Short mmCIF file of all heavy atoms in Angstrom, two decimals:
data_model
loop_
_atom_site.label_atom_id
_atom_site.label_comp_id
_atom_site.label_asym_id
_atom_site.label_seq_id
_atom_site.Cartn_x
_atom_site.Cartn_y
_atom_site.Cartn_z
N MET N 233 0.83 -1.18 0.00
CA MET N 233 -0.02 0.03 0.03
C MET N 233 0.90 1.26 -0.01
O MET N 233 0.60 2.22 -0.73
CB MET N 233 -0.91 -0.05 1.22
CG MET N 233 -1.86 1.12 1.31
SD MET N 233 -3.13 0.99 0.06
CE MET N 233 -4.21 2.23 0.61
N SER N 234 1.93 1.29 0.81
CA SER N 234 2.76 2.50 0.88
C SER N 234 3.51 2.68 -0.40
O SER N 234 3.83 3.83 -0.76
CB SER N 234 3.73 2.38 2.05
OG SER N 234 4.69 1.42 1.78
N ASP N 235 3.76 1.62 -1.14
CA ASP N 235 4.44 1.76 -2.45
C ASP N 235 3.56 2.50 -3.43
O ASP N 235 4.01 3.40 -4.18
CB ASP N 235 4.77 0.39 -3.05
CG ASP N 235 5.64 0.47 -4.27
OD1 ASP N 235 6.58 1.29 -4.29
OD2 ASP N 235 5.43 -0.31 -5.19
N ARG N 236 2.25 2.27 -3.40
CA ARG N 236 1.30 2.94 -4.22
C ARG N 236 1.21 4.42 -3.86
O ARG N 236 1.16 5.29 -4.71
CB ARG N 236 -0.08 2.32 -4.10
CG ARG N 236 -1.02 2.75 -5.17
CD ARG N 236 -2.36 2.09 -5.07
NE ARG N 236 -2.26 0.67 -4.80
CZ ARG N 236 -3.25 -0.10 -4.39
NH1 ARG N 236 -4.47 0.45 -4.22
NH2 ARG N 236 -3.11 -1.39 -4.11
N ILE N 237 1.24 4.73 -2.58
CA ILE N 237 1.25 6.10 -2.08
C ILE N 237 2.51 6.82 -2.54
O ILE N 237 2.49 7.96 -2.99
CB ILE N 237 1.06 6.19 -0.57
CG1 ILE N 237 -0.33 5.67 -0.18
CG2 ILE N 237 1.28 7.61 -0.06
CD1 ILE N 237 -0.53 5.48 1.29
N GLY N 238 3.63 6.12 -2.43
CA GLY N 238 4.91 6.76 -2.87
C GLY N 238 4.92 7.09 -4.34
O GLY N 238 5.42 8.13 -4.77
N ARG N 239 4.34 6.17 -5.15
CA ARG N 239 4.28 6.44 -6.59
C ARG N 239 3.36 7.60 -6.88
O ARG N 239 3.63 8.42 -7.76
CB ARG N 239 3.82 5.19 -7.34
CG ARG N 239 4.89 4.12 -7.42
CD ARG N 239 4.52 3.01 -8.34
NE ARG N 239 3.31 2.40 -7.95
CZ ARG N 239 3.11 1.08 -7.74
NH1 ARG N 239 4.13 0.29 -7.90
NH2 ARG N 239 1.93 0.61 -7.41
N ALA N 240 2.26 7.72 -6.15
CA ALA N 240 1.33 8.83 -6.35
C ALA N 240 1.97 10.16 -5.97
O ALA N 240 1.82 11.14 -6.67
CB ALA N 240 0.05 8.63 -5.52
N LYS N 241 2.75 10.16 -4.88
CA LYS N 241 3.44 11.36 -4.45
C LYS N 241 4.48 11.75 -5.49
O LYS N 241 4.66 12.94 -5.82
CB LYS N 241 4.14 11.15 -3.12
CG LYS N 241 3.20 11.22 -1.94
CD LYS N 241 4.01 11.06 -0.63
CE LYS N 241 3.14 11.10 0.57
NZ LYS N 241 3.90 10.94 1.81
N GLU N 242 5.18 10.79 -6.00
CA GLU N 242 6.19 11.03 -7.03
C GLU N 242 5.58 11.62 -8.28
O GLU N 242 6.06 12.59 -8.84
CB GLU N 242 6.94 9.72 -7.38
CG GLU N 242 8.05 9.88 -8.36
CD GLU N 242 8.72 8.53 -8.66
OE1 GLU N 242 8.37 7.48 -8.05
OE2 GLU N 242 9.62 8.54 -9.53
N LYS N 243 4.45 11.08 -8.67
CA LYS N 243 3.74 11.57 -9.88
C LYS N 243 3.28 13.00 -9.65
O LYS N 243 3.42 13.89 -10.53
CB LYS N 243 2.58 10.69 -10.20
CG LYS N 243 1.80 11.12 -11.41
CD LYS N 243 0.66 10.18 -11.72
CE LYS N 243 -0.15 10.63 -12.94
NZ LYS N 243 -1.24 9.75 -13.27
N ALA N 244 2.73 13.27 -8.46
CA ALA N 244 2.29 14.62 -8.17
C ALA N 244 3.47 15.61 -8.19
O ALA N 244 3.34 16.71 -8.68
CB ALA N 244 1.58 14.67 -6.81
N ARG N 245 4.59 15.19 -7.61
CA ARG N 245 5.76 16.04 -7.56
C ARG N 245 6.24 16.42 -8.97
O ARG N 245 6.59 17.54 -9.25
CB ARG N 245 6.88 15.40 -6.77
CG ARG N 245 8.09 16.29 -6.60
CD ARG N 245 9.14 15.67 -5.67
NE ARG N 245 9.56 14.38 -6.14
CZ ARG N 245 9.52 13.27 -5.38
NH1 ARG N 245 9.09 13.32 -4.18
NH2 ARG N 245 9.95 12.11 -5.87
N HIS N 246 6.22 15.44 -9.90
CA HIS N 246 6.61 15.68 -11.27
C HIS N 246 5.64 16.65 -11.97
O HIS N 246 6.09 17.55 -12.73
CB HIS N 246 6.69 14.40 -12.09
CG HIS N 246 7.74 13.44 -11.53
ND1 HIS N 246 9.00 13.82 -11.20
CD2 HIS N 246 7.65 12.13 -11.27
CE1 HIS N 246 9.68 12.76 -10.75
NE2 HIS N 246 8.85 11.73 -10.75
N GLU N 247 4.37 16.52 -11.69
CA GLU N 247 3.41 17.41 -12.30
C GLU N 247 3.61 18.84 -11.78
O GLU N 247 3.46 19.83 -12.53
CB GLU N 247 2.00 16.90 -12.06
CG GLU N 247 1.70 15.61 -12.85
CD GLU N 247 1.86 15.79 -14.37
OE1 GLU N 247 1.45 16.84 -14.90
OE2 GLU N 247 2.35 14.86 -14.98
N VAL N 248 3.88 18.95 -10.51
CA VAL N 248 4.10 20.30 -9.92
C VAL N 248 5.36 20.92 -10.52
O VAL N 248 5.37 22.11 -10.92
CB VAL N 248 4.21 20.19 -8.36
CG1 VAL N 248 4.79 21.53 -7.79
CG2 VAL N 248 2.90 19.85 -7.77
N ASP N 249 6.42 20.09 -10.68
CA ASP N 249 7.65 20.60 -11.29
C ASP N 249 7.38 21.04 -12.75
O ASP N 249 7.94 22.05 -13.21
CB ASP N 249 8.75 19.52 -11.26
CG ASP N 249 9.30 19.27 -9.90
OD1 ASP N 249 9.10 20.12 -9.03
OD2 ASP N 249 9.99 18.26 -9.73
N ARG N 250 6.59 20.28 -13.46
CA ARG N 250 6.29 20.64 -14.86
C ARG N 250 5.50 21.92 -14.93
O ARG N 250 5.78 22.77 -15.72
CB ARG N 250 5.50 19.47 -15.50
CG ARG N 250 5.34 19.66 -17.00
CD ARG N 250 4.68 18.40 -17.59
NE ARG N 250 4.83 18.35 -19.00
CZ ARG N 250 4.24 19.19 -19.87
NH1 ARG N 250 3.49 20.12 -19.42
NH2 ARG N 250 4.44 19.08 -21.19
N ALA N 251 4.51 22.05 -14.03
CA ALA N 251 3.74 23.30 -14.01
C ALA N 251 4.60 24.49 -13.62
O ALA N 251 4.47 25.59 -14.18
CB ALA N 251 2.54 23.17 -13.07
N ARG N 252 5.49 24.30 -12.68
CA ARG N 252 6.39 25.41 -12.26
C ARG N 252 7.30 25.80 -13.45
O ARG N 252 7.52 26.99 -13.65
CB ARG N 252 7.26 24.93 -11.09
CG ARG N 252 8.12 26.02 -10.51
CD ARG N 252 8.94 25.56 -9.32
NE ARG N 252 8.10 25.07 -8.28
CZ ARG N 252 8.31 23.93 -7.60
NH1 ARG N 252 9.36 23.18 -7.87
NH2 ARG N 252 7.48 23.54 -6.66
N GLY N 253 7.78 24.80 -14.16
CA GLY N 253 8.59 25.09 -15.33
C GLY N 253 7.82 25.90 -16.39
O GLY N 253 8.34 26.84 -16.97
N ARG N 254 6.60 25.50 -16.59
CA ARG N 254 5.71 26.19 -17.57
C ARG N 254 5.52 27.64 -17.13
O ARG N 254 5.55 28.56 -17.94
CB ARG N 254 4.42 25.46 -17.73
CG ARG N 254 3.45 26.07 -18.71
CD ARG N 254 3.98 25.86 -20.13
NE ARG N 254 3.02 26.42 -21.06
CZ ARG N 254 3.30 26.97 -22.21
NH1 ARG N 254 4.56 27.05 -22.61
NH2 ARG N 254 2.38 27.47 -23.00
N ALA N 255 5.27 27.84 -15.85
CA ALA N 255 5.08 29.17 -15.29
C ALA N 255 6.33 30.05 -15.49
O ALA N 255 6.22 31.21 -15.88
CB ALA N 255 4.69 29.10 -13.82
N LYS N 256 7.47 29.47 -15.21
CA LYS N 256 8.76 30.19 -15.42
C LYS N 256 8.92 30.58 -16.87
O LYS N 256 9.33 31.70 -17.23
CB LYS N 256 9.95 29.37 -14.97
CG LYS N 256 10.15 29.28 -13.52
CD LYS N 256 11.41 28.47 -13.25
CE LYS N 256 11.71 28.31 -11.80
NZ LYS N 256 12.92 27.53 -11.60
N GLU N 257 8.63 29.59 -17.74
CA GLU N 257 8.79 29.84 -19.20
C GLU N 257 7.88 31.00 -19.65
O GLU N 257 8.31 31.92 -20.34
CB GLU N 257 8.46 28.57 -19.94
CG GLU N 257 8.70 28.69 -21.41
CD GLU N 257 8.41 27.41 -22.16
OE1 GLU N 257 8.05 26.39 -21.52
OE2 GLU N 257 8.49 27.42 -23.39
N LEU N 258 6.65 30.97 -19.20
CA LEU N 258 5.70 32.05 -19.57
C LEU N 258 6.09 33.38 -18.98
O LEU N 258 6.03 34.42 -19.67
CB LEU N 258 4.28 31.65 -19.15
CG LEU N 258 3.61 30.57 -19.94
CD1 LEU N 258 2.29 30.22 -19.34
CD2 LEU N 258 3.42 30.99 -21.38
N ALA N 259 6.54 33.39 -17.73
CA ALA N 259 6.98 34.64 -17.07
C ALA N 259 8.17 35.20 -17.84
O ALA N 259 8.24 36.45 -18.05
CB ALA N 259 7.26 34.35 -15.61
N GLY N 260 9.08 34.34 -18.18
CA GLY N 260 10.24 34.79 -18.94
C GLY N 260 9.87 35.38 -20.31
O GLY N 260 10.42 36.38 -20.75
N ARG N 261 8.95 34.71 -20.95
CA ARG N 261 8.50 35.14 -22.28
C ARG N 261 7.82 36.51 -22.16
O ARG N 261 8.05 37.45 -23.00
CB ARG N 261 7.60 34.14 -22.89
CG ARG N 261 7.25 34.45 -24.39
CD ARG N 261 6.43 33.37 -25.00
NE ARG N 261 7.16 32.09 -24.99
CZ ARG N 261 6.58 30.91 -24.94
NH1 ARG N 261 5.27 30.84 -24.95
NH2 ARG N 261 7.31 29.79 -24.97
N LEU N 262 6.94 36.67 -21.18
CA LEU N 262 6.22 37.93 -20.99
C LEU N 262 7.12 39.06 -20.59
O LEU N 262 6.91 40.21 -21.01
CB LEU N 262 5.08 37.74 -19.99
CG LEU N 262 3.92 36.83 -20.43
CD1 LEU N 262 2.99 36.61 -19.29
CD2 LEU N 262 3.18 37.46 -21.63
N SER N 263 8.11 38.78 -19.77
CA SER N 263 9.00 39.84 -19.26
C SER N 263 10.16 40.06 -20.19
O SER N 263 10.93 41.03 -20.00
CB SER N 263 9.49 39.51 -17.89
OG SER N 263 10.36 38.38 -17.91
N GLY N 264 10.40 39.17 -21.16
CA GLY N 264 11.56 39.31 -22.03
C GLY N 264 12.86 38.77 -21.45
O GLY N 264 13.92 39.00 -21.98
N ASP N 265 12.71 38.03 -20.35
CA ASP N 265 13.89 37.47 -19.67
C ASP N 265 14.18 36.11 -20.32
O ASP N 265 13.55 35.09 -19.97
CB ASP N 265 13.59 37.32 -18.19
CG ASP N 265 14.78 36.88 -17.38
OD1 ASP N 265 15.82 36.42 -17.99
OD2 ASP N 265 14.73 37.01 -16.14
N GLU N 266 15.15 36.07 -21.20
CA GLU N 266 15.47 34.85 -21.91
C GLU N 266 15.99 33.74 -20.98
O GLU N 266 15.76 32.55 -21.19
CB GLU N 266 16.47 35.09 -23.06
CG GLU N 266 15.88 35.94 -24.15
CD GLU N 266 16.93 36.23 -25.22
OE1 GLU N 266 18.03 35.67 -25.16
OE2 GLU N 266 16.64 37.03 -26.11
N ARG N 267 16.73 34.18 -19.94
CA ARG N 267 17.30 33.22 -19.00
C ARG N 267 16.20 32.49 -18.23
O ARG N 267 16.23 31.28 -18.07
CB ARG N 267 18.24 33.92 -18.03
CG ARG N 267 18.89 32.97 -17.08
CD ARG N 267 19.93 33.73 -16.20
NE ARG N 267 20.15 33.03 -15.00
CZ ARG N 267 19.51 33.22 -13.84
NH1 ARG N 267 18.67 34.21 -13.77
NH2 ARG N 267 19.77 32.51 -12.79
N LEU N 268 15.20 33.24 -17.76
CA LEU N 268 14.07 32.63 -17.04
C LEU N 268 13.27 31.75 -17.96
O LEU N 268 12.86 30.67 -17.56
CB LEU N 268 13.17 33.75 -16.46
CG LEU N 268 12.04 33.26 -15.59
CD1 LEU N 268 12.52 32.50 -14.37
CD2 LEU N 268 11.21 34.48 -15.16
N GLU N 269 13.09 32.11 -19.17
CA GLU N 269 12.35 31.31 -20.17
C GLU N 269 13.09 30.02 -20.38
O GLU N 269 12.48 28.91 -20.43
CB GLU N 269 12.20 32.08 -21.45
CG GLU N 269 11.31 31.36 -22.47
CD GLU N 269 11.13 32.18 -23.73
OE1 GLU N 269 11.53 33.39 -23.77
OE2 GLU N 269 10.61 31.63 -24.72
N ALA N 270 14.41 30.04 -20.58
CA ALA N 270 15.21 28.86 -20.77
C ALA N 270 15.19 27.97 -19.53
O ALA N 270 15.14 26.75 -19.66
CB ALA N 270 16.64 29.25 -21.15
N GLU N 271 15.23 28.61 -18.38
CA GLU N 271 15.18 27.80 -17.13
C GLU N 271 13.83 27.07 -17.02
O GLU N 271 13.80 25.88 -16.60
CB GLU N 271 15.36 28.74 -15.93
CG GLU N 271 15.48 28.06 -14.60
CD GLU N 271 15.70 29.04 -13.48
OE1 GLU N 271 16.36 30.06 -13.73
OE2 GLU N 271 15.24 28.78 -12.36
N GLY N 272 12.77 27.71 -17.44
CA GLY N 272 11.49 27.06 -17.41
C GLY N 272 11.42 25.89 -18.37
O GLY N 272 10.88 24.83 -18.05
N ARG N 273 11.98 26.06 -19.54
CA ARG N 273 12.03 24.96 -20.55
C ARG N 273 12.84 23.76 -19.98
O ARG N 273 12.45 22.62 -20.12
CB ARG N 273 12.63 25.40 -21.86
CG ARG N 273 11.66 26.12 -22.74
CD ARG N 273 12.13 26.27 -24.13
NE ARG N 273 13.43 26.91 -24.25
CZ ARG N 273 13.68 28.21 -24.41
NH1 ARG N 273 12.65 29.02 -24.47
NH2 ARG N 273 14.89 28.67 -24.49
N THR N 274 13.94 24.12 -19.31
CA THR N 274 14.78 23.07 -18.71
C THR N 274 14.03 22.33 -17.60
O THR N 274 14.10 21.09 -17.50
CB THR N 274 16.04 23.70 -18.14
OG1 THR N 274 16.76 24.33 -19.16
CG2 THR N 274 16.95 22.65 -17.51
N ASP N 275 13.32 23.09 -16.78
CA ASP N 275 12.55 22.45 -15.68
C ASP N 275 11.49 21.52 -16.24
O ASP N 275 11.28 20.41 -15.76
CB ASP N 275 11.91 23.49 -14.83
CG ASP N 275 12.90 24.27 -13.96
OD1 ASP N 275 14.06 23.84 -13.86
OD2 ASP N 275 12.51 25.27 -13.34
N ARG N 276 10.78 21.96 -17.31
CA ARG N 276 9.75 21.10 -17.92
C ARG N 276 10.36 19.86 -18.53
O ARG N 276 9.84 18.75 -18.40
CB ARG N 276 8.99 21.88 -18.95
CG ARG N 276 7.92 22.75 -18.39
CD ARG N 276 6.89 23.19 -19.42
NE ARG N 276 7.48 23.67 -20.65
CZ ARG N 276 7.01 23.40 -21.85
NH1 ARG N 276 5.95 22.63 -21.98
NH2 ARG N 276 7.58 23.88 -22.94
N ALA N 277 11.49 20.04 -19.19
CA ALA N 277 12.14 18.87 -19.81
C ALA N 277 12.59 17.87 -18.75
O ALA N 277 12.46 16.67 -18.92
CB ALA N 277 13.35 19.35 -20.64
N ARG N 278 13.12 18.39 -17.66
CA ARG N 278 13.57 17.51 -16.54
C ARG N 278 12.37 16.74 -15.98
O ARG N 278 12.43 15.52 -15.74
CB ARG N 278 14.25 18.31 -15.46
CG ARG N 278 14.83 17.47 -14.35
CD ARG N 278 15.49 18.32 -13.25
NE ARG N 278 16.54 19.18 -13.82
CZ ARG N 278 16.61 20.46 -13.58
NH1 ARG N 278 15.70 21.08 -12.85
NH2 ARG N 278 17.53 21.19 -14.11
N ALA N 279 11.24 17.43 -15.78
CA ALA N 279 10.04 16.78 -15.28
C ALA N 279 9.52 15.70 -16.25
O ALA N 279 9.10 14.61 -15.87
CB ALA N 279 8.93 17.77 -14.99
N ASP N 280 9.56 16.04 -17.56
CA ASP N 280 9.15 15.07 -18.55
C ASP N 280 10.04 13.83 -18.59
O ASP N 280 9.57 12.69 -18.74
CB ASP N 280 9.09 15.71 -19.96
CG ASP N 280 7.95 16.72 -20.11
OD1 ASP N 280 7.02 16.71 -19.26
OD2 ASP N 280 8.04 17.54 -21.07
N LEU N 281 11.33 14.06 -18.40
CA LEU N 281 12.27 12.94 -18.36
C LEU N 281 12.06 12.04 -17.16
O LEU N 281 12.05 10.84 -17.27
CB LEU N 281 13.73 13.50 -18.37
CG LEU N 281 14.84 12.46 -18.37
CD1 LEU N 281 14.78 11.65 -19.68
CD2 LEU N 281 16.17 13.14 -18.24
N ARG N 282 11.78 12.69 -16.02
CA ARG N 282 11.50 11.89 -14.83
C ARG N 282 10.20 11.07 -15.02
O ARG N 282 10.12 9.93 -14.56
CB ARG N 282 11.31 12.81 -13.61
CG ARG N 282 12.61 13.35 -13.13
CD ARG N 282 12.35 14.21 -11.89
NE ARG N 282 13.58 14.92 -11.49
CZ ARG N 282 13.57 16.07 -10.95
NH1 ARG N 282 12.45 16.70 -10.69
NH2 ARG N 282 14.70 16.65 -10.58
N LYS N 283 9.23 11.68 -15.65
CA LYS N 283 7.97 10.96 -15.92
C LYS N 283 8.17 9.77 -16.80
O LYS N 283 7.65 8.70 -16.57
CB LYS N 283 6.93 11.94 -16.56
CG LYS N 283 5.60 11.34 -16.82
CD LYS N 283 4.66 12.37 -17.41
CE LYS N 283 3.33 11.79 -17.68
NZ LYS N 283 2.39 12.79 -18.23
N ALA N 284 8.97 9.96 -17.84
CA ALA N 284 9.31 8.86 -18.77
C ALA N 284 10.06 7.74 -18.06
O ALA N 284 9.79 6.58 -18.21
CB ALA N 284 10.08 9.36 -19.96
N TRP N 285 11.02 8.13 -17.23
CA TRP N 285 11.78 7.14 -16.46
C TRP N 285 10.91 6.34 -15.51
O TRP N 285 11.00 5.15 -15.40
CB TRP N 285 12.93 7.83 -15.72
CG TRP N 285 13.71 6.88 -14.88
CD1 TRP N 285 13.78 6.91 -13.53
CD2 TRP N 285 14.50 5.77 -15.34
NE1 TRP N 285 14.60 5.86 -13.10
CE2 TRP N 285 15.08 5.18 -14.20
CE3 TRP N 285 14.83 5.31 -16.60
CZ2 TRP N 285 15.91 4.09 -14.30
CZ3 TRP N 285 15.69 4.21 -16.67
CH2 TRP N 285 16.19 3.62 -15.56
N ARG N 286 9.95 7.06 -14.87
CA ARG N 286 8.99 6.38 -13.95
C ARG N 286 8.18 5.38 -14.75
O ARG N 286 7.94 4.25 -14.30
CB ARG N 286 8.10 7.39 -13.27
CG ARG N 286 7.10 6.78 -12.30
CD ARG N 286 6.27 7.81 -11.58
NE ARG N 286 5.77 8.85 -12.39
CZ ARG N 286 4.66 8.83 -13.07
NH1 ARG N 286 3.93 7.71 -13.06
NH2 ARG N 286 4.26 9.84 -13.79
N SER N 287 7.75 5.73 -15.94
CA SER N 287 6.95 4.87 -16.79
C SER N 287 7.73 3.60 -17.16
O SER N 287 7.24 2.48 -17.12
CB SER N 287 6.53 5.60 -18.02
OG SER N 287 5.84 4.72 -18.94
N VAL N 288 9.03 3.82 -17.50
CA VAL N 288 9.89 2.66 -17.86
C VAL N 288 10.05 1.72 -16.60
O VAL N 288 9.92 0.51 -16.75
CB VAL N 288 11.28 3.12 -18.31
CG1 VAL N 288 12.25 1.99 -18.42
CG2 VAL N 288 11.13 3.81 -19.69
N ARG N 289 10.23 2.30 -15.46
CA ARG N 289 10.43 1.50 -14.21
C ARG N 289 9.18 0.67 -13.96
O ARG N 289 9.25 -0.51 -13.60
CB ARG N 289 10.72 2.42 -13.02
CG ARG N 289 12.10 2.84 -12.94
CD ARG N 289 12.40 3.50 -11.59
NE ARG N 289 11.27 4.07 -10.96
CZ ARG N 289 11.21 5.31 -10.45
NH1 ARG N 289 12.29 6.08 -10.54
NH2 ARG N 289 10.15 5.78 -9.89
N GLU N 290 8.00 1.30 -14.14
CA GLU N 290 6.73 0.56 -13.87
C GLU N 290 6.53 -0.55 -14.85
O GLU N 290 6.05 -1.60 -14.49
CB GLU N 290 5.57 1.55 -13.88
CG GLU N 290 5.53 2.51 -12.72
CD GLU N 290 4.42 3.51 -12.71
OE1 GLU N 290 3.63 3.48 -13.67
OE2 GLU N 290 4.35 4.33 -11.80
N ARG N 291 6.91 -0.29 -16.15
CA ARG N 291 6.77 -1.37 -17.13
C ARG N 291 7.68 -2.53 -16.80
O ARG N 291 7.29 -3.71 -16.96
CB ARG N 291 7.02 -0.83 -18.53
CG ARG N 291 5.90 0.08 -19.02
CD ARG N 291 6.28 0.68 -20.35
NE ARG N 291 5.35 1.70 -20.71
CZ ARG N 291 4.70 1.74 -21.86
NH1 ARG N 291 4.91 0.78 -22.73
NH2 ARG N 291 3.84 2.68 -22.10
N VAL N 292 8.91 -2.22 -16.45
CA VAL N 292 9.86 -3.29 -16.12
C VAL N 292 9.36 -4.07 -14.89
O VAL N 292 9.46 -5.29 -14.86
CB VAL N 292 11.28 -2.71 -15.89
CG1 VAL N 292 12.20 -3.72 -15.27
CG2 VAL N 292 11.84 -2.18 -17.20
N ARG N 293 8.83 -3.32 -13.91
CA ARG N 293 8.33 -3.99 -12.71
C ARG N 293 7.13 -4.90 -13.09
O ARG N 293 7.04 -6.03 -12.61
CB ARG N 293 7.83 -2.96 -11.75
CG ARG N 293 7.35 -3.52 -10.41
CD ARG N 293 6.99 -2.46 -9.43
NE ARG N 293 8.12 -1.65 -9.06
CZ ARG N 293 8.14 -0.35 -9.00
NH1 ARG N 293 7.05 0.37 -9.28
NH2 ARG N 293 9.21 0.34 -8.64
N GLY N 294 6.28 -4.47 -14.01
CA GLY N 294 5.18 -5.29 -14.45
C GLY N 294 5.63 -6.54 -15.19
O GLY N 294 5.07 -7.60 -15.02
N ILE N 295 6.66 -6.38 -16.06
CA ILE N 295 7.21 -7.52 -16.74
C ILE N 295 7.77 -8.56 -15.75
O ILE N 295 7.53 -9.74 -15.83
CB ILE N 295 8.26 -7.10 -17.76
CG1 ILE N 295 7.63 -6.35 -18.91
CG2 ILE N 295 9.04 -8.30 -18.27
CD1 ILE N 295 8.61 -5.63 -19.83
N GLY N 296 8.50 -8.04 -14.77
CA GLY N 296 9.05 -8.93 -13.72
C GLY N 296 7.98 -9.66 -12.94
O GLY N 296 8.05 -10.87 -12.68
N ASP N 297 6.89 -8.94 -12.61
CA ASP N 297 5.78 -9.54 -11.93
C ASP N 297 5.11 -10.64 -12.74
O ASP N 297 4.79 -11.72 -12.24
CB ASP N 297 4.72 -8.50 -11.56
CG ASP N 297 5.20 -7.60 -10.45
OD1 ASP N 297 6.24 -7.89 -9.75
OD2 ASP N 297 4.52 -6.52 -10.24
N SER N 298 4.95 -10.39 -14.06
CA SER N 298 4.27 -11.34 -14.92
C SER N 298 5.17 -12.58 -15.11
O SER N 298 4.66 -13.72 -15.18
CB SER N 298 3.88 -10.74 -16.29
OG SER N 298 5.05 -10.49 -17.02
N LEU N 299 6.46 -12.40 -15.14
CA LEU N 299 7.36 -13.59 -15.27
C LEU N 299 7.36 -14.43 -14.00
O LEU N 299 7.38 -15.67 -14.13
CB LEU N 299 8.76 -13.08 -15.58
CG LEU N 299 9.03 -12.50 -16.96
CD1 LEU N 299 10.43 -11.99 -17.07
CD2 LEU N 299 8.70 -13.53 -18.03
N ARG N 300 7.26 -13.79 -12.86
CA ARG N 300 7.23 -14.52 -11.60
C ARG N 300 5.90 -15.32 -11.54
O ARG N 300 5.91 -16.45 -11.02
CB ARG N 300 7.39 -13.57 -10.46
CG ARG N 300 8.83 -13.29 -10.10
CD ARG N 300 8.94 -12.60 -8.76
NE ARG N 300 8.31 -11.32 -8.78
CZ ARG N 300 8.94 -10.17 -9.11
NH1 ARG N 300 10.18 -10.18 -9.49
NH2 ARG N 300 8.34 -9.02 -9.08
N LYS N 301 4.82 -14.76 -11.97
CA LYS N 301 3.50 -15.44 -11.92
C LYS N 301 3.47 -16.62 -12.83
O LYS N 301 2.90 -17.65 -12.54
CB LYS N 301 2.39 -14.48 -12.28
CG LYS N 301 2.12 -13.43 -11.21
CD LYS N 301 1.02 -12.48 -11.62
CE LYS N 301 0.85 -11.38 -10.61
NZ LYS N 301 -0.15 -10.40 -10.99
N ASP N 302 4.12 -16.51 -13.98
CA ASP N 302 4.15 -17.61 -14.95
C ASP N 302 4.95 -18.81 -14.42
O ASP N 302 4.63 -19.95 -14.75
CB ASP N 302 4.79 -17.21 -16.28
CG ASP N 302 3.84 -16.29 -17.10
OD1 ASP N 302 2.64 -16.25 -16.77
OD2 ASP N 302 4.34 -15.62 -18.03
N ARG N 303 5.90 -18.58 -13.59
CA ARG N 303 6.76 -19.68 -13.07
C ARG N 303 6.12 -20.37 -11.87
O ARG N 303 6.51 -21.46 -11.52
CB ARG N 303 8.11 -19.12 -12.60
CG ARG N 303 8.95 -18.70 -13.84
CD ARG N 303 10.28 -18.29 -13.43
NE ARG N 303 11.09 -17.88 -14.58
CZ ARG N 303 12.29 -17.55 -14.53
NH1 ARG N 303 12.96 -17.48 -13.37
NH2 ARG N 303 12.94 -17.17 -15.63
N SER N 304 5.14 -19.78 -11.25
CA SER N 304 4.52 -20.38 -10.07
C SER N 304 3.68 -21.57 -10.32
O SER N 304 3.17 -21.89 -11.34
CB SER N 304 3.64 -19.41 -9.32
OG SER N 304 4.15 -18.16 -9.24
#
């Protein structure tokens, strides 16, 4: 049960990071601050990468679970 809660917290944290990055990007674009805009893009890309990595981990975990069930 706690593993499920941990995954939900991790997912929420990534979504918050992605939204924060989007906000920085928009603020930079509106203010003309190229550095802030680039920082926002970087933050969003980092959040997207973490999300993709989490997806890969879950798929590998599922494959491992299915292999264990087949052997029982």
Side-chain angles (χ1 to χ4, degrees):
M233 181 72 167
S234 70
D235 189 40
R236 195 178 316 165
I237 293 171
R239 286 190 302 234
K241 283 183 180 180
E242 183 180 357
K243 182 178 179 179
R245 184 174 56 235
H246 298 312
E247 290 302 319
V248 167
D249 288 345
R250 190 173 195 292
R252 185 179 301 134
R254 181 70 176 147
K256 283 183 182 179
E257 185 179 356
L258 288 174
R261 189 175 299 152
L262 292 173
S263 67
D265 186 347
E266 292 179 9
R267 183 175 157 264
L268 184 60
E269 186 178 350
E271 187 177 327
R273 280 195 305 269
T274 302
D275 289 350
R276 278 197 315 139
R278 186 179 305 128
D280 290 342
L281 182 63
R282 286 181 188 148
K283 183 178 179 180
W285 177 245
R286 181 176 44 84
S287 175
V288 168
R289 280 192 332 230
E290 288 177 2
R291 287 175 190 234
V292 168
R293 185 177 294 135
I295 291 169
D297 289 346
S298 68
L299 290 174
R300 277 193 293 271
K301 289 178 184 176
D302 287 344
R303 291 185 180 182
S304 320

